[in-house]
Coordinates of all heavy atoms in Angstrom, one line a residue:
S1 N 77.1 74.8 55.6 CA 78.1 75.7 56.0 C 78.8 75.2 57.3 O 78.1 74.6 58.2 CB 77.5 77.1 56.3 OG 77.0 77.6 55.1
I2 N 80.0 75.5 57.5 CA 80.8 75.0 58.6 C 81.5 76.2 59.2 O 82.1 77.1 58.5 CB 81.9 74.0 58.2 CG1 81.1 72.8 57.6 CG2 82.7 73.6 59.4 CD1 82.0 71.8 57.1
L3 N 81.5 76.3 60.6 CA 82.3 77.3 61.3 C 83.3 76.5 62.1 O 83.0 75.5 62.7 CB 81.4 78.0 62.3 CG 80.4 79.0 61.8 CD1 79.6 79.5 63.0 CD2 81.0 80.1 61.0
V4 N 84.6 76.9 62.0 CA 85.7 76.3 62.7 C 86.2 77.3 63.7 O 86.6 78.4 63.3 CB 86.8 75.8 61.8 CG1 87.9 75.2 62.7 CG2 86.3 74.9 60.8
R5 N 86.1 77.0 65.0 CA 86.4 78.0 66.1 C 87.5 77.4 66.9 O 87.5 76.3 67.3 CB 85.2 78.2 66.9 CG 83.9 78.7 66.2 CD 84.1 80.0 65.6 NE 84.2 81.0 66.6 CZ 84.3 82.3 66.5 NH1 84.3 82.8 65.2 NH2 84.4 83.1 67.5
G6 N 88.5 78.3 67.1 CA 89.7 77.9 68.0 C 89.3 78.0 69.5 O 88.7 79.0 69.9
I7 N 89.8 77.1 70.2 CA 89.5 77.1 71.7 C 90.9 77.1 72.4 O 91.7 76.2 72.1 CB 88.7 75.8 72.1 CG1 87.4 75.7 71.4 CG2 88.6 75.8 73.6 CD1 86.4 76.8 71.8
R8 N 91.2 78.1 73.3 CA 92.4 78.1 74.0 C 92.3 77.6 75.4 O 93.2 77.0 76.0 CB 93.0 79.5 74.1 CG 93.3 80.1 72.7 CD 93.6 81.6 72.8 NE 92.4 82.2 73.2 CZ 92.4 83.4 73.8 NH1 93.5 84.0 74.2 NH2 91.2 84.0 74.1
N9 N 91.1 77.8 76.0 CA 90.9 77.4 77.5 C 89.4 77.2 77.7 O 88.5 77.3 76.8 CB 91.5 78.5 78.3 CG 91.0 79.9 77.9 OD1 89.8 80.1 77.6 ND2 91.8 80.9 77.9
S10 N 89.0 77.0 79.0 CA 87.6 76.8 79.3 C 86.8 78.0 79.1 O 85.6 77.9 78.8 CB 87.5 76.3 80.7 OG 88.0 77.2 81.7
A11 N 87.3 79.2 79.3 CA 86.6 80.4 79.1 C 86.2 80.5 77.6 O 85.0 80.9 77.2 CB 87.3 81.7 79.5
D12 N 87.1 80.2 76.7 CA 86.8 80.2 75.3 C 85.7 79.2 74.9 O 84.8 79.4 74.2 CB 88.0 79.9 74.4 CG 89.0 81.0 74.2 OD1 88.7 82.1 74.6 OD2 90.0 80.8 73.6
Y13 N 85.8 78.0 75.6 CA 84.8 77.0 75.3 C 83.4 77.4 75.7 O 82.5 77.3 75.0 CB 85.2 75.7 76.0 CG 84.2 74.6 75.9 CD1 84.2 73.8 74.7 CD2 83.2 74.4 76.8 CE1 83.2 72.9 74.5 CE2 82.2 73.4 76.6 CZ 82.2 72.6 75.4 OH 81.2 71.7 75.2
N14 N 83.3 78.1 76.9 CA 82.0 78.5 77.4 C 81.5 79.6 76.4 O 80.3 79.6 76.1 CB 82.1 79.1 78.8 CG 82.4 78.0 79.8 OD1 82.1 76.8 79.6 ND2 83.0 78.4 80.9
Y15 N 82.3 80.6 76.0 CA 81.9 81.6 75.1 C 81.4 81.0 73.8 O 80.3 81.4 73.3 CB 83.0 82.6 74.9 CG 82.7 83.7 74.0 CD1 81.8 84.7 74.3 CD2 83.2 83.6 72.7 CE1 81.5 85.7 73.3 CE2 82.9 84.6 71.7 CZ 82.1 85.7 72.1 OH 81.8 86.6 71.2
E16 N 82.2 80.2 73.2 CA 81.9 79.6 71.9 C 80.7 78.7 72.0 O 79.9 78.6 71.1 CB 83.1 78.8 71.4 CG 84.3 79.6 71.1 CD 84.1 80.6 70.0 OE1 83.1 80.5 69.2 OE2 84.9 81.6 69.9
S17 N 80.5 78.0 73.1 CA 79.3 77.2 73.3 C 78.0 78.1 73.3 O 76.9 77.7 72.7 CB 79.3 76.4 74.6 OG 80.3 75.5 74.6
E18 N 78.1 79.3 73.9 CA 76.9 80.2 73.9 C 76.7 80.7 72.4 O 75.5 80.8 72.0 CB 77.2 81.4 74.8 CG 77.2 81.1 76.2 CD 77.7 82.2 77.1 OE1 77.8 83.4 76.6 OE2 77.8 82.0 78.3
L19 N 77.7 80.9 71.7 CA 77.5 81.3 70.3 C 77.0 80.2 69.5 O 76.1 80.4 68.6 CB 78.9 81.7 69.6 CG 79.5 83.0 70.0 CD1 80.8 83.3 69.3 CD2 78.5 84.2 69.8
L20 N 77.4 78.9 69.7 CA 76.8 77.8 69.0 C 75.3 77.7 69.3 O 74.5 77.5 68.4 CB 77.5 76.5 69.5 CG 77.0 75.2 68.9 CD1 78.3 74.3 68.7 CD2 76.0 74.5 69.7
L21 N 74.9 77.9 70.5 CA 73.5 77.9 70.8 C 72.7 79.0 70.1 O 71.7 78.8 69.5 CB 73.2 78.0 72.3 CG 71.8 78.2 72.8 CD1 71.0 76.9 72.4 CD2 71.7 78.4 74.3
A22 N 73.3 80.2 70.1 CA 72.6 81.3 69.4 C 72.5 81.0 67.9 O 71.5 81.3 67.3 CB 73.4 82.6 69.6
N23 N 73.6 80.5 67.3 CA 73.6 80.2 65.9 C 72.6 79.1 65.6 O 71.9 79.2 64.5 CB 75.0 79.7 65.4 CG 76.0 80.8 65.4 OD1 75.6 82.0 65.2 ND2 77.3 80.5 65.4
S24 N 72.4 78.1 66.5 CA 71.4 77.1 66.2 C 70.0 77.6 66.3 O 69.1 77.1 65.7 CB 71.6 75.9 67.2 OG 71.2 76.3 68.5
L25 N 69.8 78.7 67.0 CA 68.4 79.3 67.1 C 68.1 80.1 65.8 O 67.0 80.3 65.4 CB 68.3 80.2 68.3 CG 68.4 79.6 69.6 CD1 68.4 80.6 70.8 CD2 67.2 78.6 69.8
I26 N 69.2 80.6 65.2 CA 69.1 81.4 63.9 C 68.9 80.5 62.7 O 68.0 80.7 61.9 CB 70.3 82.3 63.7 CG1 70.4 83.3 64.8 CG2 70.3 83.0 62.3 CD1 71.7 84.1 64.9
T27 N 69.7 79.4 62.7 CA 69.6 78.5 61.6 C 70.1 77.1 62.0 O 71.0 77.0 62.9 CB 70.5 79.0 60.3 OG1 70.3 78.1 59.3 CG2 71.9 79.2 60.7
N28 N 69.6 76.1 61.4 CA 70.1 74.7 61.6 C 70.9 74.2 60.5 O 71.2 73.0 60.4 CB 68.9 73.8 61.9 CG 68.0 73.7 60.8 OD1 68.2 74.3 59.7 ND2 67.0 72.9 61.0
T29 N 71.4 75.1 59.7 CA 72.2 74.7 58.5 C 73.7 74.9 58.7 O 74.5 74.8 57.7 CB 71.8 75.4 57.2 OG1 72.0 76.8 57.4 CG2 70.3 75.1 56.9
V30 N 74.1 75.3 59.9 CA 75.5 75.6 60.2 C 76.0 74.6 61.2 O 75.4 74.5 62.3 CB 75.7 77.0 60.7 CG1 77.2 77.3 61.1 CG2 75.3 78.0 59.6
E31 N 77.1 74.0 60.9 CA 77.8 73.1 61.9 C 79.0 73.8 62.4 O 79.7 74.5 61.7 CB 78.3 71.8 61.2 CG 77.3 70.8 60.9 CD 76.7 70.1 62.1 OE1 77.5 70.0 63.1 OE2 75.6 69.7 62.0
T32 N 79.2 73.7 63.7 CA 80.3 74.4 64.4 C 81.3 73.3 64.9 O 80.9 72.3 65.5 CB 79.9 75.2 65.6 OG1 79.0 76.2 65.1 CG2 81.1 75.9 66.2
F33 N 82.6 73.5 64.6 CA 83.6 72.6 65.0 C 84.6 73.3 65.9 O 85.0 74.4 65.5 CB 84.3 71.8 63.9 CG 83.5 71.0 63.1 CD1 82.8 71.4 62.0 CD2 83.4 69.6 63.5 CE1 82.0 70.5 61.3 CE2 82.7 68.7 62.8 CZ 81.9 69.2 61.7
F34 N 85.0 72.8 67.1 CA 85.9 73.4 67.9 C 87.3 72.7 67.7 O 87.3 71.5 67.7 CB 85.5 73.3 69.4 CG 84.2 74.0 69.8 CD1 83.4 73.5 70.7 CD2 83.8 75.2 69.1 CE1 82.2 74.1 71.1 CE2 82.7 75.8 69.5 CZ 81.9 75.3 70.5
M35 N 88.3 73.5 67.7 CA 89.7 73.0 67.6 C 90.5 73.6 68.7 O 90.4 74.8 69.0 CB 90.3 73.4 66.3 CG 89.7 72.7 65.1 SD 90.5 73.1 63.5 CE 92.1 72.4 63.8
N36 N 91.2 72.7 69.4 CA 92.1 73.2 70.5 C 93.3 73.9 69.9 O 93.9 73.4 68.9 CB 92.6 72.0 71.4 CG 91.5 71.5 72.2 OD1 90.5 72.2 72.6 ND2 91.6 70.2 72.5
A37 N 93.7 75.0 70.5 CA 95.0 75.7 70.1 C 96.2 74.8 70.4 O 96.2 74.0 71.4 CB 95.0 77.0 70.8
R38 N 97.2 75.0 69.6 CA 98.5 74.4 69.9 C 99.0 74.9 71.2 O 98.8 76.1 71.5 CB 99.5 74.6 68.8 CG 99.1 74.0 67.4 CD 100.2 74.0 66.4 NE 100.9 75.3 66.3 CZ 100.8 76.1 65.3 NH1 100.2 75.8 64.2 NH2 101.5 77.3 65.3
P39 N 99.7 74.1 72.0 CA 100.2 74.6 73.3 C 100.9 75.9 73.3 O 100.8 76.8 74.1 CB 101.0 73.4 73.8 CG 100.5 72.2 73.1 CD 100.0 72.7 71.8
E40 N 101.7 76.1 72.2 CA 102.5 77.3 72.2 C 101.8 78.5 71.8 O 102.2 79.7 71.9 CB 103.8 77.2 71.2 CG 103.3 77.0 69.8 CD 103.1 75.6 69.3 OE1 102.9 74.7 70.2 OE2 103.2 75.3 68.1
L41 N 100.5 78.4 71.5 CA 99.6 79.5 71.1 C 98.5 79.7 72.1 O 97.7 80.6 71.8 CB 99.1 79.3 69.7 CG 100.1 79.2 68.5 CD1 99.4 78.9 67.2 CD2 100.9 80.4 68.5
I42 N 98.5 79.0 73.1 CA 97.3 79.1 74.1 C 97.2 80.5 74.6 O 96.1 81.0 74.9 CB 97.5 78.0 75.2 CG1 97.1 76.7 74.6 CG2 96.6 78.4 76.4 CD1 97.2 75.5 75.6
S43 N 98.3 81.2 74.9 CA 98.2 82.6 75.5 C 98.1 83.7 74.4 O 98.0 84.8 74.8 CB 99.4 82.8 76.4 OG 100.6 82.8 75.6
V44 N 98.0 83.3 73.2 CA 98.0 84.3 72.1 C 96.5 84.8 71.9 O 95.6 84.0 71.8 CB 98.5 83.8 70.8 CG1 98.3 84.8 69.7 CG2 100.0 83.4 70.9
K45 N 96.3 86.1 72.0 CA 95.0 86.7 71.8 C 95.1 87.6 70.6 O 96.1 88.2 70.3 CB 94.6 87.6 73.0 CG 94.3 86.8 74.3 CD 94.0 87.7 75.3 CE 93.7 87.0 76.7 NZ 93.3 87.9 77.7
S46 N 94.0 87.7 69.8 CA 94.0 88.5 68.6 C 94.3 90.0 69.0 O 95.0 90.7 68.2 CB 92.7 88.4 67.9 OG 91.6 88.8 68.6
S47 N 93.8 90.5 70.1 CA 94.0 91.9 70.4 C 95.5 92.1 70.7 O 96.0 93.2 70.3 CB 93.2 92.2 71.7 OG 93.5 91.4 72.7
L48 N 96.2 91.1 71.3 CA 97.6 91.3 71.5 C 98.4 91.3 70.2 O 99.2 92.1 70.0 CB 98.1 90.1 72.4 CG 99.6 90.0 72.6 CD1 100.2 91.3 73.3 CD2 100.0 88.8 73.3
V49 N 98.0 90.4 69.3 CA 98.7 90.3 68.0 C 98.5 91.6 67.2 O 99.4 92.2 66.7 CB 98.1 89.1 67.2 CG1 98.6 89.2 65.8 CG2 98.5 87.8 67.8
K50 N 97.2 92.2 67.2 CA 97.0 93.5 66.6 C 97.8 94.6 67.2 O 98.4 95.4 66.5 CB 95.5 93.8 66.7 CG 94.7 92.9 65.8 CD 93.2 93.2 66.0 CE 92.3 92.1 65.6 NZ 90.9 92.3 66.0
E51 N 97.9 94.6 68.5 CA 98.7 95.7 69.2 C 100.1 95.5 68.8 O 100.8 96.5 68.5 CB 98.5 95.6 70.7 CG 99.2 96.7 71.4 CD 98.7 96.8 72.9 OE1 97.8 96.1 73.3 OE2 99.4 97.7 73.5
L52 N 100.7 94.4 68.9 CA 102.1 94.1 68.5 C 102.4 94.6 67.1 O 103.4 95.2 66.8 CB 102.5 92.7 68.8 CG 102.6 92.2 70.2 CD1 102.8 90.7 70.3 CD2 103.6 92.9 71.0
F53 N 101.5 94.2 66.2 CA 101.6 94.5 64.8 C 101.6 96.0 64.6 O 102.3 96.5 63.8 CB 100.5 93.9 64.0 CG 100.6 94.1 62.5 CD1 101.5 93.3 61.8 CD2 99.8 95.0 61.9 CE1 101.6 93.5 60.4 CE2 99.8 95.1 60.5 CZ 100.8 94.4 59.8
G54 N 100.7 96.7 65.4 CA 100.7 98.2 65.3 C 102.0 98.8 65.7 O 102.3 99.9 65.3
Y55 N 102.8 98.2 66.5 CA 104.1 98.7 67.0 C 105.2 98.1 66.1 O 106.4 98.2 66.5 CB 104.4 98.3 68.4 CG 103.5 99.1 69.4 CD1 102.6 98.5 70.1 CD2 103.7 100.5 69.5 CE1 101.8 99.3 71.0 CE2 102.9 101.2 70.4 CZ 102.0 100.6 71.1 OH 101.2 101.4 72.0
S56 N 104.9 97.5 65.0 CA 105.8 97.0 64.0 C 106.7 95.8 64.5 O 107.8 95.6 64.1 CB 106.8 98.1 63.5 OG 106.0 99.1 62.8
V57 N 106.1 95.1 65.5 CA 106.7 93.9 66.0 C 106.4 92.7 65.0 O 105.3 92.6 64.5 CB 106.2 93.5 67.4 CG1 106.7 92.2 67.9 CG2 106.5 94.6 68.4
D58 N 107.4 91.9 64.8 CA 107.3 90.8 63.9 C 106.3 89.7 64.5 O 106.7 89.1 65.5 CB 108.6 90.1 63.6 CG 108.5 88.9 62.7 OD1 107.4 88.7 62.0 OD2 109.5 88.2 62.5
I59 N 105.1 89.6 64.0 CA 104.1 88.7 64.6 C 104.0 87.4 63.7 O 103.0 86.6 63.9 CB 102.8 89.4 64.7 CG1 102.3 90.1 63.4 CG2 102.8 90.3 65.8 CD1 101.2 89.5 62.7
S60 N 104.9 87.2 62.7 CA 104.8 86.1 61.8 C 104.8 84.8 62.5 O 104.2 83.8 61.9 CB 105.9 86.2 60.7 OG 107.1 86.1 61.3
S61 N 105.3 84.6 63.7 CA 105.3 83.3 64.4 C 104.0 83.1 65.1 O 103.8 82.0 65.6 CB 106.5 83.2 65.4 OG 106.4 84.2 66.4
L62 N 103.2 84.1 65.2 CA 102.0 84.0 65.9 C 100.7 83.8 65.1 O 99.6 83.5 65.6 CB 101.7 85.3 66.8 CG 102.8 85.6 67.8 CD1 102.6 87.0 68.4 CD2 103.0 84.5 68.8
V63 N 100.9 84.0 63.8 CA 99.7 83.9 62.9 C 100.1 83.1 61.7 O 101.3 82.9 61.4 CB 99.2 85.2 62.4 CG1 98.6 86.1 63.6 CG2 100.2 86.0 61.7
T64 N 99.1 82.6 60.9 CA 99.4 81.8 59.7 C 100.0 82.8 58.6 O 99.7 84.0 58.7 CB 98.2 81.1 59.2 OG1 97.2 82.1 58.9 CG2 97.7 80.1 60.2
P65 N 100.7 82.3 57.7 CA 101.2 83.1 56.6 C 100.1 84.0 55.9 O 100.3 85.1 55.6 CB 101.9 82.2 55.6 CG 102.3 81.0 56.5 CD 101.2 80.9 57.5
N66 N 99.0 83.4 55.6 CA 97.9 84.1 54.9 C 97.4 85.2 55.8 O 97.0 86.3 55.3 CB 96.8 83.2 54.4 CG 96.1 82.4 55.5 OD1 96.7 82.1 56.5 ND2 94.9 82.0 55.2
V67 N 97.3 85.1 57.1 CA 96.8 86.1 58.0 C 97.9 87.2 58.0 O 97.5 88.4 57.9 CB 96.5 85.5 59.4 CG1 96.3 86.7 60.4 CG2 95.3 84.6 59.3
Y68 N 99.1 86.8 58.1 CA 100.2 87.8 58.2 C 100.2 88.7 56.9 O 100.3 89.9 57.0 CB 101.5 87.1 58.4 CG 102.7 88.0 58.5 CD1 102.8 88.9 59.6 CD2 103.7 88.0 57.6 CE1 103.9 89.7 59.7 CE2 104.8 88.9 57.7 CZ 104.9 89.7 58.8 OH 105.9 90.6 58.9
E69 N 100.0 88.1 55.8 CA 100.0 88.8 54.5 C 98.8 89.8 54.4 O 98.9 90.9 54.0 CB 100.0 87.9 53.3 CG 101.4 87.2 53.1 CD 102.5 88.1 52.9 OE1 102.4 89.1 52.2 OE2 103.6 87.9 53.6
A70 N 97.6 89.3 54.9 CA 96.4 90.1 54.9 C 96.6 91.3 55.8 O 96.2 92.4 55.5 CB 95.2 89.2 55.3
M71 N 97.2 91.1 56.9 CA 97.4 92.2 57.9 C 98.4 93.2 57.3 O 98.2 94.4 57.4 CB 98.0 91.7 59.2 CG 96.9 90.9 60.0 SD 97.5 90.3 61.6 CE 97.6 91.8 62.5
K72 N 99.4 92.7 56.6 CA 100.3 93.7 55.9 C 99.6 94.4 54.8 O 99.9 95.7 54.7 CB 101.6 92.9 55.3 CG 102.5 92.4 56.4 CD 103.8 92.0 55.9 CE 103.8 91.2 54.6 NZ 105.1 90.6 54.3
R73 N 98.8 93.8 54.1 CA 98.1 94.6 53.0 C 97.1 95.6 53.6 O 96.8 96.6 53.0 CB 97.3 93.5 52.1 CG 98.2 92.8 51.1 CD 97.3 92.1 50.1 NE 96.3 91.2 50.7 CZ 96.5 89.9 51.0 NH1 97.6 89.3 50.8 NH2 95.5 89.2 51.5
G74 N 96.5 95.2 54.7 CA 95.5 96.1 55.3 C 96.0 97.3 56.0 O 95.3 98.2 56.5
Q75 N 97.4 97.3 56.2 CA 98.0 98.4 56.9 C 98.0 99.7 56.2 O 98.0 99.9 55.1 CB 99.4 98.0 57.3 CG 100.1 99.0 58.3 CD 101.4 98.5 58.7 OE1 102.1 97.9 57.9 NE2 101.8 98.8 59.9

């Protein structure tokens, strides 16, 4: 199994590193890969995206098409 985690900054890296350690204590069958966010998305937080979406703001430029469609279906 593979986990792919997005990293925006050093705070994300520290948090994700702690999760990696916890996961390794639970099981050794999961690999974690960190990916840096694209520069234009570094300041985007999921909580902000959810809040904007709740106010009917077009968030399609902030999420992938499949995430956008899933959010619309879940509304």
Side-chain angles (χ1 to χ4, degrees):
S1 298
I2 298 173
L3 294 175
V4 179
R5 305 293 294 182
I7 303 292
R8 295 171 295 155
N9 52 40
S10 60
D12 280 356
Y13 178 80
N14 291 336
Y15 175 75
E16 295 296 341
S17 293
E18 290 174 9
L19 288 181
L20 182 141
L21 175 60
N23 289 337
S24 69
L25 295 172
I26 296 168
T27 181
N28 62 0
T29 62
V30 176
E31 284 289 332
T32 302
F33 291 91
F34 297 147
M35 293 183 64
N36 290 332
R38 294 192 314 250
E40 65 271 19
L41 299 177
I42 284 177
S43 63
V44 175
K45 295 180 180 180
S46 61
S47 56
L48 172 65
V49 171
K50 292 174 197 171
E51 185 170 351
L52 292 172
F53 185 76
Y55 288 113
S56 300
V57 174
D58 180 12
I59 50 110
S60 60
S61 66
L62 302 175
V63 297
T64 61
N66 59 332
V67 169
Y68 184 63
E69 290 303 318
M71 290 179 75
K72 288 194 317 188
R73 283 192 308 271
Q75 190 177 31

